[in-house]
Amino acid sequence: MRGHCHCGAVHWESRAEAAWSCYCHCADCRRNCAAPVTAFFGLPHEAVEWSGASPKVYNSSEGVERLFCGACGTQMAYRTARDPVNIHLYTATLESPSQMPPKFHVFHSDHVSWLELKDSLPRYAKSSSG
């Protein structure tokens, strides 16, 4: 599994199997990505190898780091002290995003009212991924 930013400066690769994959509807992710919803999947921290330019880190709140490309600004990953096992990678950074479909929704209670995703996936009011 591989991914990269928009400009190609930051790359990541992993041979690990994803622990989970989800849509996130929280207000922080919406604001950070300027999108009504985003998709993540979790991989063990030690299973992700970065290459090219190192991602920049933004401490968005206590215990939360958001990794992004310093050249083009692409959001790459999310790290939180609440999940010491997994790094949360943005599904859109995958070379083949269709290989990692979300399996559930988190923070669905925060979803924007005008966006209706018509799937039958479980919807959790809070996070179940860490």
Side-chain angles (χ1 to χ4, degrees), residues 21-125:
S21 60
C22 72
Y23 288 110
C24 184
H25 297 270
C26 82
D28 284 344
C29 284
R30 286 199 317 265
R31 183 75 56 197
N32 187 62
C33 295
V37 65
T38 193
F40 286 106
F41 61 97
L43 290 174
H45 289 282
E46 69 280 357
V48 177
E49 294 181 33
W50 296 94
S51 61
S54 295
K56 300 291 185 188
V57 177
Y58 169 58
N59 295 301
S60 62
S61 57
E62 187 176 335
V64 173
E65 295 178 330
R66 294 182 181 270
L67 285 66
F68 64 98
C69 174
C72 68
T74 299
Q75 297 299 314
M76 301 296 296
Y78 169 94
R79 290 191 294 223
T80 176
R82 292 186 323 247
D83 186 356
V85 175
N86 295 301
I87 186 167
H88 304 192
L89 291 156
Y90 287 93
T91 305
T93 67
L94 279 165
E95 287 182 355
S96 300
S98 61
Q99 74 187 54
M100 190 62 59
K103 304 258 196 284
F104 55 91
H105 296 257
V106 294
F107 295 103
H108 193 261
S109 58
D110 294 345
H111 79 281
V112 292
S113 61
W114 48 260
L115 178 67
E116 185 178 340
L117 299 178
K118 297 188 183 227
D119 61 45
S120 58
L121 300 175
R123 285 159 165 71
Y124 302 104

